[in-house]
Amino acid sequence: MTYLIDKIVWEVTAKCNMNCMHCGSDCNCDVKGEELSTAECLQVLEDIKEVGGCNLIIFSGGEPLLREDLGVLTSRCNLFDFKTAVISNAFMVNEKTIKMIKALNLLAYGISIDAADPYMHDYIRGVPHAFEHVEKAIKLLNENNIVPTIVTTVHKLNYNQLPKIRDFLIKNNVKLWQIQYGDNIGRMPKDCQITEAQYLEIAKFILNTNKNYSKCFKRVSGADVFGYMSPFAKQLQGFWQGCLGGISGVGISAEGSVRGCLSMQSDKYIEDNVRNRSFKEIWLDKNSFAYNRKFDCSMLTGYCRTCIYAATCKGGCMRAASLHGGRNSQYCLYKIEKEGFSSPLQARTEFSKQEIFDLYNPIRKLPDEFWK
């Protein structure tokens, strides 16, 4: 069977000018390994063109604007009729760079916003005045007819910020919003992850926002991490057909490793590196991405293995499998509806300020505004 690529998420650099506490790739100002050169990146794009089918390449990082040849890469994408988007922290979006960004001819410019209270967004991002840059960036993007898409990663600290973020986005004329949860990939401790009950409430929030704020948003999405097979889930995200990593989606790391999805951080999900074999060879190899291309229900574990939707759902988002080794999802609306929450802790939605303080202050000192 021939698999055609629909979407690629490409971490073009591991360099970053922020220090986000939930960063899955643990990016910083130091380059991890030798990043692909411009020539190597252009060769990968040639391979992608030969494979065929690619509709969208999302350049991420790190901070992709730190890569000086981003314009060269997007220009080649335009030549090949690949749509492009960028996921950024917006810190480098200003009056000087906006003309360059506009010239990239992007489908959308993704910006991460973690809280509507400036002190909390700055705290999570690890950089002062980060929120100020976000506000300015959204204004500049809208003025230049570049579509801003907001990405919010939720954990226990900013769980209650969602209504405030929604108000902020409406006020600033943002039409596209993706909400996802953070987990213990990279920097974030497991205890900071949302509970199953919070997961359910976020799913309700997304559905409510799409229904009751349809004049304000074109779409509020839970990406691939909300839903699966319950009737409620189908309202939320439509029909779920299992993880598409290696089927129609793929991730490329800054140093050239290829995996079905960049969220699958375990090295066992690296198929190969484009410096060892061409991207085309990796993608067309019949043994690549076996966890999806050769899926069998016996691969599933826990509740997922006996679920009536096992063959269709395939255990939900594969990043859960990459975290704990088993192929099943703790966060599944169908499982919650049928079985309830897995423990009293997982049934909680609210935590006291002292509990949150005890979780986060050891990671990074919380500012005084937290107690106000």
Side-chain angles (χ1 to χ4, degrees):
M1 180 176 179
T2 301
Y3 295 92
L4 296 178
I5 303 168
D6 178 56
K7 182 176 75 174
I8 296 173
V9 180
W10 191 341
E11 183 185 80
V12 286
T13 182
K15 290 181 182 178
C16 194
N17 47 10
M18 289 194 175
N19 185 27
C20 305
M21 61 173 49
H22 57 263
C23 182
S25 298
D26 195 15
C27 295
N28 52 51
C29 290
D30 298 320
V31 177
K32 292 180 173 181
E34 188 178 344
E35 297 182 346
L36 296 179
S37 67
T38 303
E40 288 172 319
C41 289
L42 292 176
Q43 181 57 57
V44 172
L45 289 173
E46 292 282 350
D47 286 348
I48 293 168
K49 180 177 181 290
E50 286 191 37
V51 169
C54 182
N55 290 313
L56 175 65
I57 297 180
I58 301 172
F59 293 113
S60 72
E63 172 50 54
L65 291 190
L66 288 171
R67 179 129 190 169
E68 294 181 358
D69 61 358
L70 186 61
V72 176
L73 304 185
T74 57
S75 293
R76 187 60 56 91
C77 288
N78 291 333
L79 181 65
F80 291 160
D81 292 324
F82 303 152
K83 295 175 182 175
T84 55
V86 163
I87 299 176
S88 166
N89 57 39
F91 206 74
M92 295 175 66
V93 180
N94 53 47
E95 290 82 358
K96 292 182 179 179
T97 60
I98 193 66
K99 291 182 180 179
M100 178 274 292
I101 294 169
K102 189 171 184 177
L104 298 179
N105 192 30
L106 301 171
L107 179 68
Y109 195 96
I111 296 176
S112 298
I113 295 182
D114 302 317
D117 289 332
Y119 87 87
M120 188 178 292
H121 178 82
D122 292 0
Y123 169 79
I124 292 170
R125 294 269 138 187
V127 175
H129 310 297
F131 192 81
E132 292 176 24
H133 284 268
V134 163
E135 286 187 294
K136 181 180 289 187
I138 291 173
K139 182 175 183 293
L140 285 169
L141 291 168
N142 279 327
E143 288 176 351
N144 286 272
N145 297 313
I146 304 167
V147 178
T149 299
I150 302 307
V151 180
T152 298
T153 302
V154 187
H155 38 93
K156 286 189 177 78
L157 176 64
N158 63 347
Y159 166 75
N160 288 317
Q161 285 281 311
L162 289 175
K164 287 185 176 182
I165 297 173
R166 179 173 62 195
D167 292 344
F168 171 80
L169 298 183
I170 292 171
K171 178 182 175 183
N172 286 276
N173 196 33
V174 173
K175 304 295 184 182
L176 298 170
W177 186 17
Q178 178 174 301
I179 301 172
Q180 58 198 30
Y181 63 82
D183 48 31
N184 60 317
I185 299 172
R187 295 183 188 141
M188 198 179 78
K190 185 175 178 60
D191 288 344
C192 295
Q193 288 181 216
I194 59 170
T195 65
E196 293 167 16
Q198 289 176 326
Y199 175 82
L200 175 60
E201 292 306 311
I202 296 170
K204 291 178 181 178
F205 174 85
I206 294 170
L207 188 59
N208 171 270
T209 301
N210 276 320
K211 284 184 174 181
N212 298 321
Y213 294 83
S214 59
K215 292 182 179 180
C216 303
F217 293 98
K218 288 182 179 178
R219 186 175 181 227
V220 180
S221 165
D224 291 340
V225 297
F226 279 93
Y228 312 128
M229 302 309 297
S230 74
F232 177 39
K234 290 173 184 176
Q235 292 180 63
L236 192 66
Q237 66 175 9
F239 179 72
W240 170 257
Q241 54 186 318
C243 171
L244 296 176
I247 303 295
S248 61
V250 67
I252 305 173
S253 296
E255 83 295 341
S257 60
V258 177
R259 46 184 111 214
C261 172
L262 290 180
S263 293
M264 297 158 59
Q265 286 288 307
S266 172
D267 287 349
K268 73 178 182 179
Y269 292 106
I270 296 175
E271 303 300 326
D272 208 332
N273 192 291
V274 296
R275 286 179 169 139
N276 299 327
R277 286 192 295 162
S278 72
F279 178 85
K280 181 181 177 181
E281 288 180 278
I282 297 169
W283 181 262
L284 295 180
D285 188 333
K286 64 181 181 180
N287 294 313
S288 292
F289 314 102
Y291 51 85
N292 277 343
R293 294 183 181 180
K294 298 181 180 182
F295 172 79
D296 184 274
C297 289
S298 64
M299 297 176 179
L300 299 176
T301 58
Y303 180 85
C304 293
R305 189 161 190 168
T306 58
C307 177
I308 62 171
Y309 294 113
T312 303
C313 180
K314 302 177 184 177
C317 177
M318 269 294 294
R319 83 171 178 179
S322 74
L323 283 175
H324 54 70
R327 185 157 179 173
N328 64 82
S329 179
Q330 172 188 357
Y331 301 110
C332 170
L333 295 175
Y334 179 76
K335 178 184 175 184
I336 291 171
E337 289 172 3
K338 293 294 180 182
E339 302 287 319
F341 304 118
S342 61
S343 70
L345 172 62
Q346 293 299 325
R348 295 181 62 185
T349 58
E350 297 300 325
F351 293 83
S352 70
K353 282 208 167 187
Q354 187 62 53
E355 288 175 303
I356 297 295
F357 179 86
D358 291 342
L359 278 176
Y360 284 87
N361 199 60
I363 304 170
R364 182 179 297 160
K365 186 177 183 301
L366 278 157
D368 294 339
E369 291 98 321
F370 173 76
W371 294 105
K372 294 178 183 179

